Every structure is written in C-alpha cells, then in structure tokens.
Amino acid sequence: MKNITVIGSGTMGNGIAHTFAQYGFNVALVDINADALSRAIQTITNNLDRQLKKGAIDEKVKADTLNNITTYTDLATAAAKADLVIEAATENRDIKLKLFKQLSEICSDDTILASNTSSISITQIASVTKKPRNVIGMHFMNPVPVMKLVEVIRGYATSNEVTQKVMKLAQQLDKNPVEVNDYPGFVANRILMPMINEAIYTLFEGVAGVNEIDTVMKLGVAHPMGPLQLADFIGLDVCLAILNVLYGGFGNQKYAPCPLLVNMVTAGHLGVKSGSGFYKYIAGSKEIIVADKFS
Ligand SMILES: NC(=O)c1ccc[n+]([C@@H]2O[C@H](COP(=O)([O-])OP(=O)(O)OC[C@H]3O[C@@H](n4cnc5c(N)ncnc54)[C@H](O)[C@@H]3O)[C@@H](O)[C@H]2O)c1
C-alpha cells in the first residue's frame, strides 16, 4: 500500500495524514472546506516543529512529511488512485453513508475503505458499498502521531485478508492494533463515554466543580487527564454523537447524554476546537482556566 486518501482534515484527519506521510506514504487529504485544509497543514507543520524541537525527527523528515501530503476539495480526484481510504469526516451517519456510497463508485475493487468513526456501525457503512468485505474500522486515537492504539473494527462482512492487511499496516506506523467486533461504541468509547457522561452529570447535579472532578480522577484514579478536560479535547459534539449512538444502539437509559452536554453543544461550546467548553482556551497559552460559566 502506498497511496492513502484521508477524508476530513479536522482534529483526527490532520493527525492521520501527518502519521502516514511521516512514514513515507503518499497522502491525499480531502475536505469539503478549503479553510479546514489550510488549518490542517498549519497544524501539521506546528506539530512537526514540536517533534523537531524534541529531537524526535530531523529537518529532512519534516520536509518529506509535508511533501508527501497533497490537499484536495474534490473527493473523486483525491480517491481515484487510493490503495486505502480512511474516512475521518464529521461523526454523522448520513455524511458517512453518502461518502462510502461515493467511494464505492470512485475506487477500484481492491481499495480498502476504512472509517475512523468513534461509534457508527461499520457493518451499516459497509452495507452501502459494493464490496462490504473491503470495509473496516480503523479507529485512531487523539493525538494520532502520539497515541499508540489503533482499534481495528471488523464489520460483519469484513474479510480476514483485509483485517490482516490493516493490522499489519498499523504496525508499519509503529502503532499497536487491537482487533474488536462491531457493536455500538466498539470497546474504547463504550467504556470511556459513559465515564465522561457521568463526570458531566456530577457537575450538572452540583456534586463538585470542574477542577474538583478532574482532580479527583487525575490524582485518585491516575488518569493523565480529567474526564471533563478529555471531553473538551475530544470535542463535546463528538462525545454527544457517540453517546447518542450508544443510547440508540443499546436502548439503555444509562447511555442517555446529560442535558448539560446537549446544551453546551447546542450553544456551540465544543471544547478546544471552539475555544470554550468546561475550560476556556486562549490561543498560544497552555494555561488551563475553568470556563466562566463554571467558575
Ligand atoms: N476527536 C477525537 O478525539 C476523535 C477520536 C477518534 C475518532 N474520532 C472520529 O474521527 C472522525 C472525525 O472527527 P474529528 O474530531 O476530526 O472531527 P472535526 O469536526 O474536527 O473534523 C471533521 C472534518 O470533516 C470535514 N467534512 C465533513 N463532511 C465532509 C465530507 N463530506 N467530505 C470531506 N470532509 C468532510 C469537515 O469539514 C471537518 O473539517 C469522527 O468520525 C470522529 O468520531 C474523533
């Protein structure tokens, strides 16, 4: 595999493009929003500079990585020669089903079609394509260049051959792939999201404040980041979308998203990407300040 097409250049898409490009793959990065593509290249450049400063890479790797990425706004052009497509567009079922239907027309019969979805059924995504056996989940973690796990999700029809190829490919990126089956939330988010939702309920019910909740989980449970900060980092809209998939998929009240989370997303307070969530984020500053609403 040499040609990788990454769809969506947001939080995850830019990290996935960065990682493949750094390991020598040709990356076509495509987004419907040209500004998002410019921001992605800027983010990748900043992250490469950080790796450079730490001595993790040299100037040549930085230059080669950037040279290996080409940006597109047209899906058909971006995906025409792909050996593997990784879709990392917005966590919305209709968007993903439409994209995979298009990909099924655009790509060759041998192209592997992967989704980075956090929770949407790979089996359902595969069902709109001509070759469901070639469709798989390749769930990277944020930030992609740093995090070692790739949750590899087998849809009902995914072939052994495709699964093995994707497991091997993840290892080539110096990641640790783990194979799981296709049920709502897979493994990572089925366990993580109820915890984040419970942390939001704890805040909503006035049991404790933002700092207190995150401190308890950091110092008491040895989590590197508190659940509310992690939710901001993931994106509150993404958290809400995943909880809705768990709620719909299992029909169990325990997954119902906290009304505070719903309100925050409706108000556009999405966490790091919008500048405000449980904390507020000031460009260029690393200081963690609780958002005015919760201070
Ligand atoms: N944020 C996380 O921590 C995280 C972790 C693992 C997986 N994921 C999953 O990765 C995917 C992307 O999440 P994100 O956080 O990067 O989202 P994001 O909102 O940061 O970025 C999504 C990007 O997709 C683009 N897009 C939307 N529709 C498109 C289309 N039809 N064609 C091309 N581009 C399109 C948007 O313009 C945007 O730039 C989601 O499925 C999400 O569940 C997210």
Side-chain angles (χ1 to χ4, degrees):
M1 277 193 242
K2 187 70 190 152
N3 296 320
I4 313 292
T5 296
V6 179
I7 305 176
S9 65
T11 313
M12 295 305 288
N14 79 61
I16 296 168
H18 173 156
T19 304
F20 274 99
Q22 188 178 329
Y23 282 80
F25 293 88
N26 296 325
V27 177
L29 179 59
V30 57
D31 201 294
I32 39 169
N33 180 341
D35 289 344
L37 286 167
S38 317
R39 280 198 301 276
I41 296 299
Q42 192 52 57
T43 304
I44 294 168
T45 309
N46 294 346
N47 290 339
L48 285 165
D49 283 337
R50 198 168 305 133
Q51 290 174 288
L52 197 61
K53 243 188 201 164
K54 282 189 191 157
I57 59 167
D58 58 23
E59 283 286 359
K60 183 174 180 327
V61 173
K62 179 187 165 188
D64 289 348
T65 302
L66 290 170
N67 279 336
N68 284 342
I69 303 174
T70 312
T71 58
Y72 298 86
T73 50
D74 178 55
L75 180 67
T77 321
K81 289 187 192 147
D83 300 311
L84 166 72
V85 178
I86 302 178
E87 171 276 317
T90 311
E91 184 75 346
N92 172 296
R93 188 186 315 263
D94 293 343
I95 291 177
K96 292 189 192 291
L97 294 185
K98 192 170 165 206
L99 276 169
F100 276 80
K101 213 167 179 197
Q102 284 174 276
L103 288 170
S104 188
E105 302 292 335
I106 295 165
C107 297
S108 88
D109 280 357
D110 297 329
T111 307
I112 296 178
L113 303 180
S115 176
N116 184 54
T117 178
S118 304
S119 60
I120 296 168
S121 162
I122 299 299
T123 306
Q124 188 179 13
I125 289 174
S127 73
V128 300
T129 69
K130 290 182 195 157
K131 298 258 176 326
R133 65 172 179 269
N134 286 351
V135 180
I136 193 160
M138 205 175 180
H139 184 206
F140 289 86
M141 305 292 135
N142 185 18
V144 182
V146 177
M147 297 290 279
K148 288 287 178 199
L149 178 70
V150 181
E151 206 179 14
V152 174
I153 303 122
R154 284 188 75 131
Y156 194 83
T158 310
S159 71
N160 287 338
E161 191 196 345
V162 164
T163 308
Q164 286 320 311
K165 274 190 186 168
V166 166
M167 297 285 285
K168 224 168 157 186
L169 183 68
Q171 283 163 347
Q172 273 177 262
L173 301 173
D174 207 16
K175 304 287 186 205
N176 293 337
V178 174
E179 187 184 322
V180 308
N181 287 319
D182 180 30
Y183 289 96
F186 319 129
V187 172
N189 282 310
R190 179 162 176 182
I191 296 171
L192 175 64
M193 283 303 150
M195 185 193 71
I196 286 179
N197 200 35
E198 205 57 36
I200 302 172
Y201 264 114
T202 311
L203 177 70
F204 179 58
E205 291 169 3
V207 179
V210 170
N211 262 332
E212 288 73 16
I213 292 166
D214 275 357
T215 304
V216 166
M217 296 304 284
K218 274 190 287 186
L219 302 186
V221 194
H223 286 187
M225 196 184 268
L228 298 175
Q229 190 186 355
L230 181 57
D232 273 1
F233 191 60
I234 294 168
L236 300 190
D237 52 339
V238 176
C239 294
L240 178 60
I242 299 169
L243 281 162
N244 278 327
V245 169
L246 289 171
Y247 188 34
F250 292 114
N252 189 321
Q253 196 62 28
K254 74 177 176 183
Y255 300 111
C258 177
L260 173 60
L261 174 64
V262 176
N263 263 358
M264 291 175 77
V265 173
T266 308
H269 290 235
L270 308 180
V272 176
K273 65 181 155 192
S274 74
S276 171
F278 296 105
Y279 297 88
K280 60 181 165 191
Y281 302 90
I282 298 149
S285 163
K286 280 190 173 166
E287 210 182 339
I288 301 286
I289 309 163
V290 173
D292 297 340
K293 194 94 181 156
F294 304 111
S295 59

Short mmCIF file of all heavy atoms in Angstrom, two decimals, residues 7-14 16 30-33 36-37 39 75 87-92 95-96 99 102 115-120 139-142 189 233-235 237-238 242 273, ligand 1:
data_model
loop_
_atom_site.label_atom_id
_atom_site.label_comp_id
_atom_site.label_asym_id
_atom_site.label_seq_id
_atom_site.Cartn_x
_atom_site.Cartn_y
_atom_site.Cartn_z
N ILE A 7 -10.08 11.37 4.36
CA ILE A 7 -11.23 12.27 4.16
C ILE A 7 -11.55 12.99 5.47
O ILE A 7 -11.78 12.35 6.49
CB ILE A 7 -12.48 11.48 3.71
CG1 ILE A 7 -12.16 10.66 2.45
CG2 ILE A 7 -13.64 12.44 3.45
CD1 ILE A 7 -13.32 9.79 2.00
N GLY A 8 -11.57 14.34 5.40
CA GLY A 8 -11.79 15.15 6.60
C GLY A 8 -10.44 15.58 7.13
O GLY A 8 -9.54 14.75 7.33
N SER A 9 -10.28 16.89 7.33
CA SER A 9 -8.95 17.38 7.76
C SER A 9 -9.05 18.08 9.11
O SER A 9 -8.30 18.99 9.41
CB SER A 9 -8.38 18.33 6.71
OG SER A 9 -9.18 19.49 6.61
N GLY A 10 -10.02 17.63 9.94
CA GLY A 10 -10.18 18.21 11.28
C GLY A 10 -9.20 17.61 12.27
O GLY A 10 -8.11 17.16 11.89
N THR A 11 -9.60 17.56 13.54
CA THR A 11 -8.75 17.07 14.62
C THR A 11 -8.06 15.75 14.24
O THR A 11 -6.85 15.60 14.36
CB THR A 11 -9.61 16.82 15.89
OG1 THR A 11 -10.44 17.93 16.11
CG2 THR A 11 -8.77 16.55 17.11
N MET A 12 -8.84 14.78 13.77
CA MET A 12 -8.29 13.45 13.51
C MET A 12 -7.66 13.34 12.13
O MET A 12 -6.60 12.73 11.97
CB MET A 12 -9.39 12.39 13.66
CG MET A 12 -9.94 12.26 15.04
SD MET A 12 -8.67 11.94 16.28
CE MET A 12 -8.25 10.25 15.90
N GLY A 13 -8.32 13.91 11.13
CA GLY A 13 -7.83 13.78 9.75
C GLY A 13 -6.42 14.33 9.61
O GLY A 13 -5.56 13.71 8.97
N ASN A 14 -6.15 15.47 10.24
CA ASN A 14 -4.79 16.03 10.08
C ASN A 14 -3.75 15.16 10.78
O ASN A 14 -2.64 14.98 10.28
CB ASN A 14 -4.72 17.52 10.45
CG ASN A 14 -4.65 17.79 11.93
OD1 ASN A 14 -3.72 17.37 12.61
ND2 ASN A 14 -5.63 18.53 12.45
N ILE A 16 -4.00 11.84 11.19
CA ILE A 16 -3.84 10.61 10.41
C ILE A 16 -2.97 10.90 9.18
O ILE A 16 -2.05 10.14 8.85
CB ILE A 16 -5.24 10.05 10.00
CG1 ILE A 16 -6.03 9.64 11.25
CG2 ILE A 16 -5.09 8.87 9.05
CD1 ILE A 16 -7.50 9.35 11.01
N VAL A 30 -8.40 15.26 1.86
CA VAL A 30 -9.54 15.92 1.21
C VAL A 30 -10.55 16.40 2.24
O VAL A 30 -10.83 15.71 3.23
CB VAL A 30 -10.20 14.97 0.16
CG1 VAL A 30 -10.64 13.67 0.77
CG2 VAL A 30 -11.35 15.63 -0.55
N ASP A 31 -11.09 17.61 2.00
CA ASP A 31 -12.11 18.17 2.88
C ASP A 31 -13.03 19.03 2.01
O ASP A 31 -12.57 19.61 1.02
CB ASP A 31 -11.47 19.02 4.00
CG ASP A 31 -12.38 19.19 5.22
OD1 ASP A 31 -13.45 19.84 5.07
OD2 ASP A 31 -12.04 18.67 6.30
N ILE A 32 -14.30 19.12 2.40
CA ILE A 32 -15.21 19.98 1.64
C ILE A 32 -14.92 21.45 1.94
O ILE A 32 -15.35 22.33 1.22
CB ILE A 32 -16.71 19.70 1.97
CG1 ILE A 32 -16.88 19.43 3.47
CG2 ILE A 32 -17.25 18.56 1.15
CD1 ILE A 32 -18.32 19.40 3.92
N ASN A 33 -14.17 21.70 3.01
CA ASN A 33 -13.92 23.06 3.46
C ASN A 33 -12.43 23.40 3.22
O ASN A 33 -11.55 22.84 3.87
CB ASN A 33 -14.28 23.11 4.96
CG ASN A 33 -14.08 24.47 5.58
OD1 ASN A 33 -13.35 25.31 5.04
ND2 ASN A 33 -14.71 24.67 6.72
N ALA A 36 -10.45 24.52 6.22
CA ALA A 36 -10.06 23.43 7.12
C ALA A 36 -8.77 22.78 6.63
O ALA A 36 -7.91 22.39 7.43
CB ALA A 36 -11.18 22.40 7.20
N LEU A 37 -8.60 22.70 5.31
CA LEU A 37 -7.37 22.11 4.75
C LEU A 37 -6.16 22.99 5.08
O LEU A 37 -5.10 22.48 5.47
CB LEU A 37 -7.51 21.95 3.23
CG LEU A 37 -8.42 20.80 2.77
CD1 LEU A 37 -8.74 20.92 1.29
CD2 LEU A 37 -7.79 19.45 3.07
N ARG A 39 -5.91 25.06 7.58
CA ARG A 39 -5.65 24.95 9.03
C ARG A 39 -4.93 23.63 9.33
O ARG A 39 -4.04 23.57 10.17
CB ARG A 39 -6.97 25.01 9.81
CG ARG A 39 -7.51 26.43 10.00
CD ARG A 39 -8.55 26.45 11.13
NE ARG A 39 -9.66 25.57 10.89
CZ ARG A 39 -10.74 25.88 10.16
NH1 ARG A 39 -10.83 27.06 9.61
NH2 ARG A 39 -11.72 25.02 9.99
N LEU A 75 -13.52 14.93 -3.91
CA LEU A 75 -13.33 13.54 -3.45
C LEU A 75 -12.90 12.62 -4.59
O LEU A 75 -11.99 11.80 -4.42
CB LEU A 75 -14.63 13.03 -2.82
CG LEU A 75 -14.59 11.60 -2.31
CD1 LEU A 75 -13.65 11.47 -1.11
CD2 LEU A 75 -15.98 11.10 -1.92
N GLU A 87 -11.66 7.37 6.18
CA GLU A 87 -12.64 8.46 6.31
C GLU A 87 -12.62 8.97 7.75
O GLU A 87 -12.79 8.18 8.70
CB GLU A 87 -14.02 7.92 5.89
CG GLU A 87 -15.18 8.82 6.15
CD GLU A 87 -15.67 8.69 7.57
OE1 GLU A 87 -15.78 7.54 8.08
OE2 GLU A 87 -15.91 9.74 8.20
N ALA A 88 -12.34 10.28 7.89
CA ALA A 88 -12.35 10.92 9.23
C ALA A 88 -13.17 12.20 9.14
O ALA A 88 -12.75 13.26 9.62
CB ALA A 88 -10.93 11.18 9.70
N ALA A 89 -14.33 12.09 8.49
CA ALA A 89 -15.23 13.25 8.39
C ALA A 89 -16.08 13.32 9.66
O ALA A 89 -16.02 12.43 10.52
CB ALA A 89 -16.11 13.13 7.15
N THR A 90 -16.87 14.36 9.75
CA THR A 90 -17.74 14.61 10.91
C THR A 90 -18.50 13.34 11.33
O THR A 90 -18.94 12.57 10.47
CB THR A 90 -18.75 15.72 10.51
OG1 THR A 90 -17.99 16.78 9.93
CG2 THR A 90 -19.54 16.22 11.68
N GLU A 91 -18.65 13.15 12.65
CA GLU A 91 -19.32 11.94 13.18
C GLU A 91 -20.83 12.05 12.95
O GLU A 91 -21.59 12.40 13.86
CB GLU A 91 -18.97 11.78 14.67
CG GLU A 91 -19.51 10.51 15.33
CD GLU A 91 -18.75 9.24 14.94
OE1 GLU A 91 -17.97 9.25 13.98
OE2 GLU A 91 -18.97 8.22 15.61
N ASN A 92 -21.24 11.76 11.72
CA ASN A 92 -22.65 11.84 11.36
C ASN A 92 -22.94 10.71 10.38
O ASN A 92 -22.28 10.58 9.35
CB ASN A 92 -22.90 13.22 10.72
CG ASN A 92 -24.28 13.37 10.13
OD1 ASN A 92 -24.64 12.68 9.19
ND2 ASN A 92 -25.04 14.28 10.68
N ILE A 95 -23.66 11.56 6.63
CA ILE A 95 -22.46 12.01 5.90
C ILE A 95 -21.61 10.80 5.53
O ILE A 95 -21.16 10.64 4.40
CB ILE A 95 -21.63 13.01 6.77
CG1 ILE A 95 -22.39 14.33 6.92
CG2 ILE A 95 -20.24 13.23 6.18
CD1 ILE A 95 -21.70 15.37 7.80
N LYS A 96 -21.44 9.89 6.49
CA LYS A 96 -20.55 8.74 6.24
C LYS A 96 -21.17 7.79 5.21
O LYS A 96 -20.46 7.30 4.32
CB LYS A 96 -20.23 8.02 7.56
CG LYS A 96 -19.36 8.91 8.47
CD LYS A 96 -18.84 8.19 9.67
CE LYS A 96 -18.23 9.11 10.72
NZ LYS A 96 -16.98 9.76 10.37
N LEU A 99 -20.69 9.28 1.82
CA LEU A 99 -19.28 9.21 1.39
C LEU A 99 -18.90 7.80 0.93
O LEU A 99 -18.26 7.62 -0.10
CB LEU A 99 -18.36 9.62 2.55
CG LEU A 99 -18.15 11.12 2.74
CD1 LEU A 99 -17.47 11.42 4.07
CD2 LEU A 99 -17.32 11.69 1.58
N GLN A 102 -20.29 6.94 -2.43
CA GLN A 102 -19.49 7.60 -3.48
C GLN A 102 -18.17 6.86 -3.68
O GLN A 102 -17.76 6.60 -4.81
CB GLN A 102 -19.19 9.05 -3.09
CG GLN A 102 -20.35 10.01 -3.24
CD GLN A 102 -19.97 11.39 -2.68
OE1 GLN A 102 -20.07 11.62 -1.49
NE2 GLN A 102 -19.51 12.27 -3.55
N SER A 115 -13.04 3.42 8.04
CA SER A 115 -13.61 4.59 8.71
C SER A 115 -12.95 4.75 10.07
O SER A 115 -12.71 3.76 10.76
CB SER A 115 -15.12 4.44 8.89
OG SER A 115 -15.60 5.56 9.62
N ASN A 116 -12.70 6.01 10.43
CA ASN A 116 -12.15 6.32 11.75
C ASN A 116 -13.29 6.61 12.74
O ASN A 116 -13.06 7.15 13.82
CB ASN A 116 -11.22 7.53 11.62
CG ASN A 116 -10.51 7.88 12.91
OD1 ASN A 116 -9.86 7.05 13.51
ND2 ASN A 116 -10.65 9.13 13.36
N THR A 117 -14.51 6.25 12.36
CA THR A 117 -15.65 6.56 13.23
C THR A 117 -15.43 6.10 14.66
O THR A 117 -14.84 5.04 14.90
CB THR A 117 -16.96 5.94 12.69
OG1 THR A 117 -18.01 6.26 13.61
CG2 THR A 117 -16.87 4.43 12.52
N SER A 118 -15.95 6.89 15.60
CA SER A 118 -15.82 6.54 17.02
C SER A 118 -16.90 5.55 17.44
O SER A 118 -16.79 4.94 18.49
CB SER A 118 -15.98 7.79 17.88
OG SER A 118 -15.06 8.77 17.50
N SER A 119 -17.97 5.44 16.66
CA SER A 119 -19.09 4.65 17.17
C SER A 119 -20.07 4.14 16.12
O SER A 119 -20.84 3.23 16.41
CB SER A 119 -19.89 5.50 18.17
OG SER A 119 -20.37 6.66 17.52
N ILE A 120 -20.06 4.70 14.93
CA ILE A 120 -21.09 4.32 13.95
C ILE A 120 -20.77 2.92 13.39
O ILE A 120 -19.61 2.58 13.16
CB ILE A 120 -21.18 5.39 12.84
CG1 ILE A 120 -21.66 6.71 13.47
CG2 ILE A 120 -22.12 4.96 11.72
CD1 ILE A 120 -21.55 7.92 12.59
N HIS A 139 -9.74 2.85 13.93
CA HIS A 139 -10.04 3.90 14.90
C HIS A 139 -8.76 4.36 15.59
O HIS A 139 -8.27 3.69 16.50
CB HIS A 139 -11.07 3.35 15.90
CG HIS A 139 -11.56 4.34 16.90
ND1 HIS A 139 -12.04 3.98 18.13
CD2 HIS A 139 -11.65 5.69 16.86
CE1 HIS A 139 -12.40 5.06 18.79
NE2 HIS A 139 -12.17 6.11 18.04
N PHE A 140 -8.24 5.48 15.09
CA PHE A 140 -7.04 6.07 15.70
C PHE A 140 -7.45 6.88 16.92
O PHE A 140 -8.60 7.30 17.06
CB PHE A 140 -6.35 7.00 14.69
CG PHE A 140 -5.69 6.29 13.55
CD1 PHE A 140 -6.41 5.94 12.41
CD2 PHE A 140 -4.34 5.97 13.61
CE1 PHE A 140 -5.80 5.28 11.35
CE2 PHE A 140 -3.72 5.31 12.57
CZ PHE A 140 -4.45 4.96 11.43
N MET A 141 -6.48 7.14 17.79
CA MET A 141 -6.74 7.91 19.00
C MET A 141 -6.08 9.29 18.86
O MET A 141 -5.11 9.46 18.12
CB MET A 141 -6.17 7.19 20.24
CG MET A 141 -6.68 5.78 20.40
SD MET A 141 -8.44 5.69 20.81
CE MET A 141 -8.99 4.38 19.70
N ASN A 142 -6.59 10.23 19.60
CA ASN A 142 -6.15 11.63 19.51
C ASN A 142 -5.15 11.95 20.62
O ASN A 142 -5.47 11.67 21.79
CB ASN A 142 -7.43 12.50 19.66
CG ASN A 142 -7.18 13.96 19.49
OD1 ASN A 142 -6.16 14.38 18.95
ND2 ASN A 142 -8.11 14.75 19.97
N ASN A 189 -14.82 3.52 23.24
CA ASN A 189 -15.83 4.52 23.59
C ASN A 189 -17.00 3.96 24.38
O ASN A 189 -17.68 4.69 25.08
CB ASN A 189 -16.33 5.23 22.33
CG ASN A 189 -15.30 6.26 21.90
OD1 ASN A 189 -14.86 7.07 22.70
ND2 ASN A 189 -14.88 6.20 20.65
N PHE A 233 -11.16 18.05 24.87
CA PHE A 233 -10.10 17.70 23.92
C PHE A 233 -10.68 16.88 22.75
O PHE A 233 -10.37 17.11 21.58
CB PHE A 233 -9.04 16.91 24.70
CG PHE A 233 -7.76 16.69 23.97
CD1 PHE A 233 -6.99 17.77 23.54
CD2 PHE A 233 -7.31 15.41 23.74
CE1 PHE A 233 -5.79 17.55 22.88
CE2 PHE A 233 -6.11 15.18 23.08
CZ PHE A 233 -5.36 16.26 22.65
N ILE A 234 -11.56 15.95 23.07
CA ILE A 234 -12.19 15.12 22.03
C ILE A 234 -13.13 15.97 21.18
O ILE A 234 -13.23 15.80 19.96
CB ILE A 234 -12.98 13.95 22.68
CG1 ILE A 234 -12.03 12.98 23.38
CG2 ILE A 234 -13.84 13.22 21.66
CD1 ILE A 234 -12.72 11.96 24.28
N GLY A 235 -13.81 16.91 21.81
CA GLY A 235 -14.86 17.70 21.15
C GLY A 235 -16.20 17.28 21.74
O GLY A 235 -16.56 16.10 21.67
N ASP A 237 -19.16 17.92 20.77
CA ASP A 237 -20.09 17.45 19.74
C ASP A 237 -19.82 15.98 19.40
O ASP A 237 -20.76 15.19 19.22
CB ASP A 237 -20.00 18.33 18.48
CG ASP A 237 -18.57 18.49 17.96
OD1 ASP A 237 -17.61 18.28 18.73
OD2 ASP A 237 -18.42 18.82 16.76
N VAL A 238 -18.53 15.62 19.37
CA VAL A 238 -18.17 14.22 19.08
C VAL A 238 -18.66 13.33 20.24
O VAL A 238 -19.26 12.27 20.01
CB VAL A 238 -16.64 14.07 18.86
CG1 VAL A 238 -16.25 12.61 18.66
CG2 VAL A 238 -16.18 14.92 17.67
N ILE A 242 -21.40 10.25 19.95
CA ILE A 242 -21.10 8.86 20.34
C ILE A 242 -22.13 8.36 21.37
O ILE A 242 -22.63 7.23 21.27
CB ILE A 242 -19.67 8.74 20.91
CG1 ILE A 242 -18.64 9.15 19.85
CG2 ILE A 242 -19.40 7.32 21.42
CD1 ILE A 242 -17.23 9.34 20.39
N LYS A 273 -11.71 22.95 20.24
CA LYS A 273 -11.83 23.43 18.85
C LYS A 273 -12.65 24.71 18.73
O LYS A 273 -12.49 25.45 17.76
CB LYS A 273 -12.35 22.35 17.92
CG LYS A 273 -13.75 21.86 18.17
CD LYS A 273 -14.06 20.75 17.13
CE LYS A 273 -15.11 19.81 17.63
NZ LYS A 273 -15.23 18.61 16.83
N1 LIG B 1 -11.94 13.95 18.14
C1 LIG B 1 -11.48 12.80 18.62
O1 LIG B 1 -10.80 12.75 19.67
C2 LIG B 1 -11.73 11.53 17.85
C3 LIG B 1 -11.04 10.37 18.21
C4 LIG B 1 -11.21 9.21 17.46
C5 LIG B 1 -12.08 9.20 16.38
N2 LIG B 1 -12.78 10.34 16.06
C6 LIG B 1 -13.68 10.29 14.89
O2 LIG B 1 -12.98 10.87 13.79
C7 LIG B 1 -13.92 11.49 12.90
C8 LIG B 1 -13.56 12.94 12.72
O3 LIG B 1 -13.62 13.59 13.98
P1 LIG B 1 -12.86 14.98 14.25
O4 LIG B 1 -12.83 15.15 15.71
O5 LIG B 1 -11.61 15.03 13.44
O6 LIG B 1 -13.95 16.00 13.61
P2 LIG B 1 -13.75 17.52 13.20
O7 LIG B 1 -15.06 18.17 13.40
O8 LIG B 1 -12.53 18.10 13.87
O9 LIG B 1 -13.41 17.43 11.62
C9 LIG B 1 -14.30 16.90 10.67
C10 LIG B 1 -13.90 17.40 9.29
O10 LIG B 1 -14.66 16.69 8.32
C11 LIG B 1 -14.97 17.58 7.27
N3 LIG B 1 -16.09 17.04 6.49
C12 LIG B 1 -17.41 16.97 6.83
N4 LIG B 1 -18.11 16.39 5.83
C13 LIG B 1 -17.21 16.06 4.85
C14 LIG B 1 -17.32 15.45 3.57
N5 LIG B 1 -18.49 15.04 3.09
N6 LIG B 1 -16.19 15.31 2.83
C15 LIG B 1 -14.98 15.73 3.30
N7 LIG B 1 -14.82 16.33 4.51
C16 LIG B 1 -15.92 16.48 5.27
C17 LIG B 1 -15.28 18.89 7.99
O11 LIG B 1 -15.19 20.00 7.10
C18 LIG B 1 -14.19 18.90 9.08
O12 LIG B 1 -13.01 19.57 8.64
C19 LIG B 1 -15.29 11.27 13.52
O13 LIG B 1 -15.87 10.13 12.95
C20 LIG B 1 -14.98 11.06 15.00
O14 LIG B 1 -15.95 10.31 15.66
C21 LIG B 1 -12.62 11.50 16.76
#
